[in-house]
Amino acid sequence: MSALVPGDAVRGDAVRQSLASFRREREADWKAFEALLARVEKRAPRALSEEELLSLPLLYRSALSSLSVARATSLDSALIAYLESLSLRGYFYLYGARRGLRQRIADFFLHDWPGAIRDLWRETLVSVALMFVGIGAGAWLVASDKGWFDAIIPSGLAAGRGPDASAELLRRMLYDGDNGFLSGFAAYLFTHNVQVAILAFALGFAFAAPTVLLMLFNGCMLGALFQVYWAKGLGMELGGWLAIHGTTELFAIALAGAAGMRIGTRIAFPGELTRMTAAAHAGRVAATAMVGVSVMLLFAGLLEGIGRQTITSDVTRYAIGGGMLALWIGYFYLFQVVRNGDR
């Protein structure tokens, strides 16, 4: 082994003394800057006083100066890494792009929400298909045995209006804006659909099985109700009454089901990722979709209230329902394509 040269030992002591002196002189500013950044990152700029806000740029420049000196004099590598991290945080906070509330809302409606829905297109197709299967099953069961109606439709929703109800009574429920049952039925149906949407998303983590069953059963209820009206020659009339708000409402439920399926299938089949990581990735897309679903459900409730009270023409009802469905499809699947084509 080679002996330690006395000159090297002296230079080592000098470096250590220089590092210690450097820390003593500047570390207080680093810690103060780090503490202020932690506060504004967790909360908002209003969490700081005016004096503290004004000190941020000064402390940032002090951190940059310290980093420059540390690099130039080859001080402790751990200290250099710490100052680099601190300076980077300061730069992103002070000079990075930060979006205001209006910009965040605009980005959500122009990019985030439509992008999430397009990402869920496979699950959406499955969800819609399950609802149609349920509609067919519900209609077939009630047509083959009217006793199935009471088994499928809750008594609170049916309120005695079933396969034995007269055509005149069923018609009056669709066109009499002052009919108490019609108001109760519409409110019950809307509340039920909101609950289905929430549960379809929330229960998706159970490998999507509850979500699949909910999509089938919701379709089954709709099919059973349609069969009752269809048997009395009022199927098209019921379709028009439901179309005003139903195209938006049922599409929202299908999207909620798709969001739940995305989470469930990623947990069941995570691929190379861990289940927690796969669920987290799927959850971000699904959560964005569900925020939009809540907007659709609120809009459907507004349409239901207006349509039930003021619109009695079947043609107008179908036109509104078809127009709303075309609007949602265009917004989710065509609008971004047109925007990209214009660039």
Side-chain angles (χ1 to χ4, degrees), residues 51-332:
E51 182 179 348
E52 288 172 329
L53 284 172
L54 292 174
S55 70
L56 277 174
L58 299 176
L59 292 172
Y60 170 66
R61 287 193 288 271
S62 175
L64 283 181
S65 175
S66 298
L67 176 60
S68 178
V69 172
R71 284 173 171 172
T73 55
S74 301
L75 292 178
D76 181 36
S77 59
L79 176 61
I80 293 175
Y82 166 75
L83 291 173
E84 286 177 342
S85 174
L86 183 62
S87 299
L88 189 61
R89 286 173 62 194
Y91 172 80
F92 277 119
Y93 179 75
L94 291 170
Y95 304 109
R98 293 193 299 277
R99 299 179 299 170
L101 179 60
R102 291 183 180 178
Q103 185 61 46
R104 287 174 182 270
I105 294 174
D107 286 346
F108 174 79
F109 284 103
L110 292 176
H111 305 291
D112 299 345
W113 184 22
I117 299 304
R118 287 194 299 274
D119 195 16
L120 293 170
W121 70 270
R122 294 180 183 85
E123 293 87 348
T124 302
L125 286 178
V126 173
S127 186
V128 171
L130 287 170
M131 290 180 67
F132 273 107
V133 169
I135 290 172
W140 178 78
L141 287 171
V142 174
S144 61
D145 181 358
K146 64 181 183 181
W148 277 103
F149 183 84
D150 293 330
I152 295 171
I153 303 294
S155 58
L157 177 59
R161 276 75 171 179
D164 296 326
S166 67
E168 182 59 31
L169 177 62
L170 295 176
R171 177 182 291 276
R172 194 162 61 247
M173 288 191 296
L174 295 179
Y175 295 101
D176 185 357
D178 297 325
N179 187 288
F181 172 77
L182 185 57
S183 302
F185 173 76
Y188 186 99
L189 186 63
F190 176 74
T191 303
H192 166 80
N193 286 335
V194 170
Q195 292 172 343
V196 170
I198 294 172
L199 289 174
F201 170 68
L203 297 178
F205 73 92
F207 304 114
T211 300
V212 169
L213 294 176
L214 277 169
M215 293 298 101
L216 286 170
F217 185 69
N218 198 60
C220 199
M221 289 182 61
L222 191 58
L225 188 63
F226 256 107
Q227 177 56 37
V228 168
Y229 277 81
W230 192 269
K232 305 295 183 180
L234 296 170
M236 295 299 292
E237 288 80 354
L238 176 65
W241 183 81
L242 288 173
I244 296 178
H245 58 94
T247 50
T248 297
E249 211 166 281
L250 294 174
F251 195 10
I253 291 175
L255 294 176
M261 289 180 201
R262 168 60 65 89
I263 295 175
T265 53
R266 289 299 186 270
I267 293 175
F269 308 104
E272 297 180 356
L273 302 175
T274 65
R275 280 192 165 83
M276 289 298 294
T277 303
H281 289 174
R284 283 191 285 271
V285 174
T288 300
M290 281 304 296
V291 172
V293 164
S294 66
V295 174
M296 293 178 71
L297 290 172
L298 289 172
F299 193 64
L302 178 63
L303 288 173
E304 184 276 324
I306 295 174
R308 177 175 56 78
Q309 295 176 14
T310 61
I311 301 173
T312 57
S313 167
D314 291 332
V315 174
T316 304
R317 288 174 170 181
Y318 274 108
I320 294 174
M324 289 308 306
L325 182 59
L327 176 64
W328 292 120
I329 292 175
Y331 170 60
F332 290 134

